[in-house]
Amino acid sequence: MTDQGNGDGRNKSKPGESLFAIWGAIGFVIGASLAAKYVYSIGYTTDDDLPWPQGIIMVSLFIGPTFLLGWIAEQLSKEVLSGNSTWATYWTTMVGITVPALAVAGITTFEDVLDLFNNL
């Protein structure tokens, strides 16, 4: 395996570590969509007090996808770095997980993402 650092062997970050930002951003969009749809479905307005169980559900829907996709990406990158898998398998698996997750969250086009953030 080759050193993917800066060439002097002192690279302190793990190779593939920056990939969390990609999947974290996509997870954030999925979470924002799910949380917004949940808030809309319970009829919450800013004048209402949100009961704590509903608040926990909303926060979980908001941050859960970010950490879940990040964790999956981390586990898959460990498999690649240990030589048990390839980067092609990594990307295929991550896209295969992310696309249905986006569809379940109701995001099928980039315009859906823009509409989500314009309506917040």
Side-chain angles (χ1 to χ4, degrees):
M1 188 160 45
T2 61
D3 178 26
Q4 296 179 3
N6 54 11
D8 61 0
R10 296 182 310 195
N11 185 17
K12 300 294 183 214
S13 66
K14 298 179 283 188
E17 187 177 44
S18 63
L19 295 176
F20 181 85
I22 295 170
W23 305 113
I26 294 171
F28 175 80
V29 170
I30 293 169
S33 175
L34 292 175
K37 289 174 191 237
Y38 178 72
V39 167
Y40 179 75
S41 72
I42 62 174
Y44 176 75
T45 63
T46 55
D47 298 333
D48 298 335
D49 288 333
L50 188 65
W52 68 269
Q54 290 179 339
I56 291 173
I57 292 170
M58 185 178 65
V59 170
S60 298
L61 287 172
F62 185 68
I63 63 173
T66 300
F67 289 108
L68 185 61
L69 281 177
W71 178 77
I72 292 169
E74 181 182 346
Q75 298 305 313
L76 287 173
S77 66
K78 285 179 184 177
E79 290 295 315
V80 171
L81 296 174
S82 69
N84 295 332
S85 186
T86 64
W87 283 111
T89 303
Y90 170 88
W91 286 102
T92 303
T93 304
M94 287 305 298
V95 169
I97 292 169
T98 305
V99 170
L102 286 165
V104 166
I107 301 170
T108 55
T109 64
F110 188 69
E111 188 174 310
D112 295 335
V113 175
L114 295 177
D115 289 342
L116 171 68
F117 289 108
N118 285 335
N119 293 328
L120 290 179

